[in-house]
Amino acid sequence: MKIKLNGELKILNGSNLLDEVITSYLNGKEARGIAVALNSTIVPKQKWNDTALNENDEVEIVHAVQGG
Amino acid sequence: MKIKLNGELKILNGSNLLDEVITSYLNGKEARGIAVALNSTIVPKQKWNDTALNENDEVEIVHAVQGG
Amino acid sequence: MKIKLNGELKILNGSNLLDEVITSYLNGKEARGIAVALNSTIVPKQKWNDTALNENDEVEIVHAVQGG
Amino acid sequence: MKIKLNGELKILNGSNLLDEVITSYLNGKEARGIAVALNSTIVPKQKWNDTALNENDEVEIVHAVQGG
Amino acid sequence: MRSPAALRMTGIIKMNKLKIADKEFTSRLIVGTSRYPDPKTMLEALDASGTEMITVSIRRLNMHTGNGQESIMEMLSKKDFSILPNTAGCYTAKEAVLTAKLAREALSTNWIKLEVIGDDETLFPDVSELLKASEELLNDGFVVLPYCNDDPVTCKKLADMGCAAVMPLGAPIGSGMGIRNPYNIQIIREIIDIPVIVDAGVGTASDAALAMELGVDGILMNSAIAGAQHPVQMALAMKLAVEAGRLAFESGRIPKKLYANASSPIEGVIGS
Amino acid sequence: MRSPAALRMTGIIKMNKLKIADKEFTSRLIVGTSRYPDPKTMLEALDASGTEMITVSIRRLNMHTGNGQESIMEMLSKKDFSILPNTAGCYTAKEAVLTAKLAREALSTNWIKLEVIGDDETLFPDVSELLKASEELLNDGFVVLPYCNDDPVTCKKLADMGCAAVMPLGAPIGSGMGIRNPYNIQIIREIIDIPVIVDAGVGTASDAALAMELGVDGILMNSAIAGAQHPVQMALAMKLAVEAGRLAFESGRIPKKLYANASSPIEGVIGS
Amino acid sequence: MRSPAALRMTGIIKMNKLKIADKEFTSRLIVGTSRYPDPKTMLEALDASGTEMITVSIRRLNMHTGNGQESIMEMLSKKDFSILPNTAGCYTAKEAVLTAKLAREALSTNWIKLEVIGDDETLFPDVSELLKASEELLNDGFVVLPYCNDDPVTCKKLADMGCAAVMPLGAPIGSGMGIRNPYNIQIIREIIDIPVIVDAGVGTASDAALAMELGVDGILMNSAIAGAQHPVQMALAMKLAVEAGRLAFESGRIPKKLYANASSPIEGVIGS
Amino acid sequence: MRSPAALRMTGIIKMNKLKIADKEFTSRLIVGTSRYPDPKTMLEALDASGTEMITVSIRRLNMHTGNGQESIMEMLSKKDFSILPNTAGCYTAKEAVLTAKLAREALSTNWIKLEVIGDDETLFPDVSELLKASEELLNDGFVVLPYCNDDPVTCKKLADMGCAAVMPLGAPIGSGMGIRNPYNIQIIREIIDIPVIVDAGVGTASDAALAMELGVDGILMNSAIAGAQHPVQMALAMKLAVEAGRLAFESGRIPKKLYANASSPIEGVIGS
């Protein structure tokens, strides 16, 4: 299944659960201070577990950086 | 029949033709350089003759004045 | 003997010693922080005693006041 | 005889009359619109003829140029 | 000596013409017709200003005379100015659009100075309503000259939409404060391809010259002339100032420097 | 439409003349003759500027040609300007007085633009030497127009001494910075009874207009015209700007306000 | 001598606090966290500035390190600033609203500095999109602080809508041009009842002091500090300047006059 | 967070000290003692200003009390300021020299703020008399700080003569007009090697900050503090403003640009 993750194409071979996709992306980093949008809708952290991704979904994983 | 002419109430006792209402309002003054709107729609001069007014119609008769 | 003291005419009936003229002018006030000029020349405090005034001498007794 | 003419040393072999020194300097150019100073004093044109130069005299021959 | 006009004719001095939509103007000054002491002074001031286009307002025809709402067109009868009606007094796109259409009908011109006011203390435009009205009027075939903020983004939108010019304000209408933010005007001039007319704010001749030196294409003014103690004389001052500013802009001014640069020659000083 | 000249002739618009000593000038612009690309451009620029008085410098007659020190009087042969020689390049009263006397002899004029420079980076005047030279030249019958600081006290002294005008600087010579301190110029204009000519600093047309609007009587400039990319055109711009500024000054401008004041009538708006 | 802090404590000098929505701030300076030479300098500068609220941006989490997109929250770990996320980089209401919601989720704050940019050369706001985004976010419970033009009409709309403050620009972001139009800022301050924060444009300390003297409630800056040669020192300069400007505003300055007014006493001069 | 004082102590922020003749000052603000509502307010304001040197005038000792000519030294009894007597009210070199000598005798200091006034409407200096008095006093061993025009040539002469500082005016005394000609002040700062103190003209905090950002070494003020509605608070504002301006000057500000420069990162925006 193909999704777009932070603007880049990603093939999901394993689970299509949002939670697992995020965990895999974070690669061991703690999931603090981040937010996630699925197809331009926020998915709160407590829903990551319930959210299955579909073909062509667009996922954004963001956090706060230095800004003015 | 009651209409509003340039913001003021007017009772039409005679004709309800727009043309005649205008002529009466102009009181002998030539109808040059003026424009007329009926209920916020422009009525070109050539249509004044064909246009009958209805109860509560709002007529605006305007011209150009000094402006900045 | 007439002198001018701070711009005002003064008749000296008694001593014409500068020191005494100053003391009299100060009227009990301590002679600290003041300076004296006789005919546009400074007279240092230690010379007041030695300085006799002459007819029409001009004496200035000044001190520091608020200034910008 | 040595003089200074417009800041430059000049040896006078012939006449020491100011008039002739000027004429020689002008080299055929008409003496209009010029002024002459000898040792920082103006010498009017009518006096050029009467004025003899002395050793080390300083002569300035000036005219008007473009200026702001 | 040759007169300025003569100099221009000989081709020594060329001042570009102003082109808005399909009209060409020699004068870069657009003048309002309001608030003069009397019609005679107005006509003389318009003459003195050298303007070729004047603004008028659209108001209800009021049969009572002497109320300051007489027909301007009658006053102008023998004059040959281009007429630019405005939508002054309109606070919504709807009012402004209707007023523009009435103007077109009354004056047989599809040109409109589009004003949509947002606030009666500042008379600053309402940006959203202005954009809406511009769009509608452009779709309806109008030549739209919008009075707008000195905001590059709004001006860019108006230009992209198809307006014939943008008319950013120099300062509040009638304030006489001059060009309060020359930087914004300069930015607008640089990023927009259509004519930029400074509308409102000019108080005196140097304001007009300065605006023109920023490269704008023209100036629209009213109060600065009509409200001066001597309107006709001020009109002439403005005419000259606009020309002066434009010529200076086209002449390529000397650069600014902190220190001096002698104008007279340094060599040949006596005693040196 | 009547031309500006026509308007003035009809008496509708009157611009006062400038009187310095016993001469009267219609033009309020005095122009320097230095640093133009070439003599032809200079002559055309002088014409375009409308000036009636031009400045020249006094320099050693140098028989080598092509050195920029040619006789200006030959260039001007057929022109009829009043000539105002300057003492540019002088750093002491003594040099300046001698230069003034040479100028009088060479040019048959007792008018002198008195410059006594204090520093070659700023070309600001040396006040003490200037006062000394002024006094000497006045005693010797000169009509003295001193180039001075924008210092009210120095200007007052020069006026009281008998100078024909004071010529405070707007900014350093050739800097093009405009009128850096309009307040001082305004104070000088208010407390002095003789003509005030702003000398030096003007960079572009709006600077000239602004100076005139402060009420000064005239402007002397050189670099702003000669150094522009198009000197002749800039000369015309300056002519117009000086006239515009003077007319505006005499016209009584509208007051400045923070808020707006509608120029179009408020009554009779449709839908109201 | 008593320190400033001591003076304030004794009640001799009181500086009002800044209240935005339900938060109260002693510091009137909001500081951006971007473009410092390194995180250590940033932290020291934030300390030196005395700020209590800092801005951050929301960006895609990028697992490649050393790209300037590291988590700011980790850098700040031990610090206790209020965090004001921004929507920098958004060009539409839609993007800005989504970014605001992501910020709320990531940072557990409903405060948002709302930026909707209209043009990437000027970084001026897009007024229409800004109004739209403000409305949506207000409806969704956000505390909205919009970055906007110095346009009184837009500011009034934003205030009427329920924004917690308006943040008009002083000059383009990062331009360091100062308060280009103090008149508009003054008008905005007078006609709006909510806090006015000048956002963008400040270049140096006097700009900040001048803005505060116009009566605005605070200043948001980033480049002026981060881009200075010595950011920590400049941060302190800005802290002091904001305090100085605010105190001066509250102190009631002397009026401006063209002429002098002796400060020393006139009587009792010797020889008089 | 560390306080400003703490930051300076740690060596992170260093502000250079001001050295005039042989004295070193931490504060760059010299404050006048005249025209406060009452002596108590004066003392509190002096404290709040952080000044280390205050000016006083020399006047005839008048035995009538309550005339504003009381001894300032008694008011100050427990304070430890350096005292800088002035020659305010003197119109000639002779008066000023005598006043300076009286001051030296009365106050046991050879420091003098030399004022020789040329005109009582502007209180501008008389340049010739000022130079004369400076020379005499320097020969007599005084440490001379002359109040002078913002004239680079006069300042250079005063510096070359041996004055300990030059004190050009920013605007007329008591006018509150700020630094009317920052260009001249900047030129003076660049061409003179001794301390430059701006004396007179400052009206509010931003004026003081701006002056310091030009690189001057200090500011002398009186009316701006004493005449404010809240003098003590304004004194603190001025203290902070002078520090802010100096720190900003030493910090190396960002350059000014016409266009924007994003402060937030451009990469990583969502949806991009």
Side-chain angles (χ1 to χ4, degrees), chain G residues 29-107:
Chain G
L29 185 53
I30 306 173
V31 182
T33 57
S34 195
R35 302 211 181 274
Y36 293 82
D38 52 66
K40 180 168 171 295
T41 303
M42 176 190 78
L43 290 172
E44 283 177 6
L46 294 178
D47 263 10
S49 77
T51 188
E52 293 161 20
M53 179 153 63
I54 64 177
T55 60
V56 301
S57 287
I58 300 302
R59 289 291 178 274
R60 284 168 171 169
L61 177 63
N62 186 323
M63 296 311 290
H64 311 295
T65 53
N67 60 355
Q69 308 266 310
E70 286 78 16
S71 167
I72 172 114
M73 299 316 288
E74 286 170 19
M75 297 177 199
L76 295 171
S77 58
K78 281 161 278 175
K79 300 289 176 180
D80 189 29
F81 298 109
S82 290
I83 302 295
L84 180 62
N86 69 28
T87 61
C90 295
Y91 282 75
T92 62
K94 192 172 163 245
E95 285 164 25
V97 167
L98 177 56
T99 301
K101 289 178 179 172
L102 286 164
R104 179 170 58 181
E105 183 71 17
L107 297 164

Side-chain angles (χ1 to χ4, degrees), chain G residues 248-272:
Chain G
F249 170 69
E250 294 181 4
S251 296
R253 60 158 291 160
I254 55 170
K256 292 185 185 184
K257 295 181 312 171
L258 184 57
Y259 285 90
N261 201 14
S263 52
S264 295
I266 289 159
E267 282 137 47
V269 175
I270 58 164
S272 59

Side-chain angles (χ1 to χ4, degrees), chain A:
Chain A
M1 193 175 79
K2 283 180 328 216
I3 64 165
K4 233 175 169 180
L5 183 52
N6 277 355
E8 292 182 2
L9 188 73
K10 190 168 175 73
I11 311 290
L12 295 189
N13 296 319
S15 162
N16 68 344
L17 258 193
L18 180 57
D19 192 32
E20 299 195 16
V21 170
I22 293 167
T23 304
S24 148
Y25 186 77
L26 290 181
N27 194 19
K29 196 169 152 16
E30 201 184 346
R32 265 200 337 157
I34 72 174
V36 173
L38 170 57
N39 300 329
S40 298
T41 303
I42 307 295
V43 184
K45 200 172 181 180
Q46 63 272 28
K47 296 259 179 90
W48 293 354
N49 234 332
D50 308 346
T51 305
L53 299 179
N54 296 313
E55 186 76 20
N56 295 326
D57 271 358
E58 300 193 2
V59 177
E60 300 277 354
I61 308 179
V62 305
H63 66 158
V65 303
Q66 291 172 284

Side-chain angles (χ1 to χ4, degrees), chain H residues 10 22 34 39 80 82 86 89 108-110 112 114 130 191 196 250 261:
Chain H
T10 61
D22 57 336
S34 195
D80 190 31
S82 290
N86 69 29
S108 305
T109 177
N110 62 346
I112 192 76
L114 183 60
L130 180 69
I191 69 173
V196 175
E250 295 181 3
N261 201 15

Side-chain angles (χ1 to χ4, degrees), chain G residues 2-16 247 250, chain H residues 40 44 48 230 232-233 236:
Chain G
R2 282 168 287 190
S3 73
L7 280 163
R8 282 194 214 112
M9 277 190 307
T10 61
I12 293 175
I13 295 173
K14 287 167 279 206
M15 189 159 58
N16 296 322
L247 282 167
E250 294 181 4
Chain H
K40 180 169 172 294
E44 284 176 5
H230 303 290
V232 182
Q233 185 165 322
L236 175 57

Side-chain angles (χ1 to χ4, degrees), chain G residues 1-2 4 7-8 12-14 34-35 44 47-48 50-51 57-60 69 81 86 88-90 95 98-99 102 115 121-123 172-177 202-207 209-210 213 222-224 227-230 232-234 236-237 239-241 243-248 250-272, chain H residues 1-2 4 7-8 12-14 34-35 44 47-48 50-51 57-60 69 81 86 88-90 95 98-99 102 115 121-123 172-177 202-207 209-210 213 222-224 227-230 232-234 236-237 239-241 243-248 250-272:
Chain G
M1 285 174 228
R2 282 168 287 190
L7 280 163
R8 282 194 214 112
I12 293 175
I13 295 173
K14 287 167 279 206
S34 195
R35 302 211 181 274
E44 283 177 6
D47 263 10
T51 188
S57 287
I58 300 302
R59 289 291 178 274
R60 284 168 171 169
Q69 308 266 310
F81 298 109
N86 69 28
C90 295
E95 285 164 25
L98 177 56
T99 301
L102 286 164
E115 285 186 50
E121 268 186 304
T122 61
L123 299 179
I173 293 173
S175 69
M177 289 288 258
V202 163
T204 185
S206 57
D207 295 339
L210 189 144
E213 287 164 1
N222 188 338
S223 309
Q229 283 171 37
H230 303 290
V232 183
Q233 185 164 323
M234 187 58 98
L236 175 57
K239 170 196 162 67
L240 298 174
E243 290 178 13
R246 181 67 191 184
L247 282 167
E250 294 181 4
S251 296
R253 60 158 291 160
I254 55 170
K256 292 185 185 184
K257 295 181 312 171
L258 184 57
Y259 285 90
N261 201 14
S263 52
S264 295
I266 289 159
E267 282 137 47
V269 175
I270 58 164
S272 59
Chain H
M1 284 173 226
R2 280 169 289 189
L7 280 163
R8 282 195 212 111
I12 294 176
I13 295 173
K14 284 168 281 207
S34 195
R35 302 208 181 275
E44 284 176 5
D47 263 9
T51 188
S57 288
I58 300 302
R59 289 291 179 273
R60 284 169 172 167
Q69 307 267 309
F81 299 109
N86 69 29
C90 295
E95 285 165 24
L98 178 54
T99 301
L102 285 166
E115 286 185 49
E121 268 185 305
T122 63
L123 299 179
I173 292 173
S175 71
M177 289 288 259
V202 163
T204 185
S206 57
D207 296 339
L210 189 145
E213 287 163 1
N222 188 337
S223 309
Q229 283 170 36
H230 303 290
V232 182
Q233 185 165 322
M234 186 58 99
L236 175 57
K239 170 195 163 66
L240 299 175
E243 290 178 15
R246 181 67 190 185
L247 282 167
E250 295 181 3
S251 297
R253 60 158 290 160
I254 55 169
K256 291 186 186 182
K257 296 180 310 172
L258 184 56
Y259 285 91
N261 201 15
S263 52
S264 295
I266 289 158
E267 283 138 46
V269 174
I270 57 164
S272 61

